[in-house]
Amino acid sequence: MKKKIALLLSLLAAVLFCFGLAACKQKGVTLKDFPETETQTVALGSVYELKTQAEGEDGNTYRLTFQVRTRDDAAVPVFDDRFDVTDIGGYVITYTAVTDGVTQTSVITLDVTDDTAPTISISKPENGSVGEEYTLPVITVSDLAGTSPEVTVKVYLIREGERTEITSLSERGGRYYFTPESVGTYEIEVTAVKTNGQSKTATRSFNIDEPVSEGEVFSPDVVSPESQISFVAAGGVET
């Protein structure tokens, strides 16, 4: 009876030992810089470079595979093991490694900060005439974070280095209008400000001339005193 008990105890010990070895085996090789979970902070507009391998404490290097998704669980396109940080909501990266037949994962959460300025685009303006309503070109303001910046549009008359704001500028249906009263060069100034304090200003210039009468051929020489001076190529005589 004692022998049977001793045999059973020996078998039990052997089984426990085998389970212990199996449990140890299931842990696989410990990888350096491969946390189970981690949170990192990245900047909007930056490029995030993914890891492709990890070093094990056994001295070997192990290949990593990865999956990148937004916080909203949308797939993120990856090119050359990197991706553009364009989603202010953040990302979740899941790394996978196989060591000694054991699969290990590391989940990295990316919090995205926004230090970007808005983007302003002003279409090429046309020239106009005094006394005729002028329509400013299309103005587009965008923001990488998807917010709506505060936009200010102004028009200035530039004369002898001085800028005089046009106070009659009005807005209808997303476009801006005014009726110029003076000949000269005008400047469109668009400023966009985000809630994060970042701002951007863009400008475009155009000219306003006297209206051309019906049947009259417009020539810049008519409104430019300097153009009254001409040269006779053959003799070089001023007239």
Side-chain angles (χ1 to χ4, degrees):
M1 185 66 178
K2 292 182 178 181
K3 289 183 178 180
K4 289 183 179 180
I5 293 174
L7 180 59
L8 289 173
L9 291 174
S10 298
L11 289 173
L12 180 59
V15 170
L16 291 174
F17 179 73
C18 290
F19 273 115
L21 287 178
C24 292
K25 189 68 175 179
Q26 288 301 312
K27 292 182 180 179
V29 176
T30 300
L31 298 176
K32 299 178 181 179
D33 193 23
F34 196 76
E36 289 187 7
T37 59
E38 184 178 72
T39 299
Q40 299 177 5
T41 300
V42 294
L44 188 68
S46 64
V47 177
Y48 189 89
E49 189 164 347
L50 296 156
K51 297 190 298 184
T52 58
Q53 59 185 26
E55 182 183 352
E57 291 190 347
D58 60 355
N60 294 322
T61 299
Y62 294 87
R63 179 174 175 269
L64 299 180
T65 57
F66 47 75
Q67 182 186 68
V68 184
R69 305 189 74 85
T70 66
R71 291 275 184 85
D72 296 330
D73 201 33
V76 177
V78 176
F79 301 99
D80 295 328
D81 303 324
R82 61 186 65 188
F83 66 92
D84 296 327
V85 180
T86 58
D87 194 321
I88 192 65
Y91 299 84
V92 177
I93 305 169
T94 303
Y95 289 104
T96 302
V98 179
T99 62
D100 288 348
V102 178
T103 300
Q104 302 182 54
T105 59
S106 175
V107 179
I108 308 299
T109 300
L110 299 184
D111 290 336
V112 180
T113 60
D114 179 21
D115 296 320
T116 62
T119 300
I120 301 173
S121 175
I122 307 174
S123 300
K124 182 179 179 180
E126 302 288 341
N127 292 329
S129 300
V130 171
E132 298 178 2
E133 185 177 67
Y134 183 87
T135 304
L136 268 61
V138 175
I139 298 169
T140 304
V141 177
S142 58
D143 174 34
L144 190 59
T147 65
S148 299
E150 181 180 347
V151 180
T152 303
V153 179
K154 294 182 178 181
V155 175
Y156 294 91
L157 170 62
I158 311 299
R159 179 174 292 166
E160 297 180 354
E162 295 186 0
R163 302 166 80 234
T164 302
E165 184 178 353
I166 304 302
T167 58
S168 60
L169 184 67
S170 62
E171 185 265 336
R172 300 193 305 270
R175 298 294 295 273
Y176 293 84
Y177 306 82
F178 80 104
T179 300
E181 298 177 354
S182 303
V183 170
T185 298
Y186 289 74
E187 183 179 77
I188 304 167
E189 180 185 88
V190 181
T191 301
V193 182
K194 291 177 54 172
T195 55
N196 66 358
Q198 295 289 336
S199 64
K200 186 73 175 287
T201 298
T203 60
R204 277 277 200 172
S205 298
F206 61 94
N207 294 320
I208 296 295
D209 298 306
E210 292 289 353
V212 179
S213 301
E214 185 176 352
E216 178 183 353
V217 178
F218 173 75
S219 171
D221 293 347
V222 176
V223 295
S224 177
E226 291 81 5
S227 65
Q228 301 303 314
I229 301 175
S230 61
F231 294 89
V232 178
V237 180
E238 294 186 5
T239 60

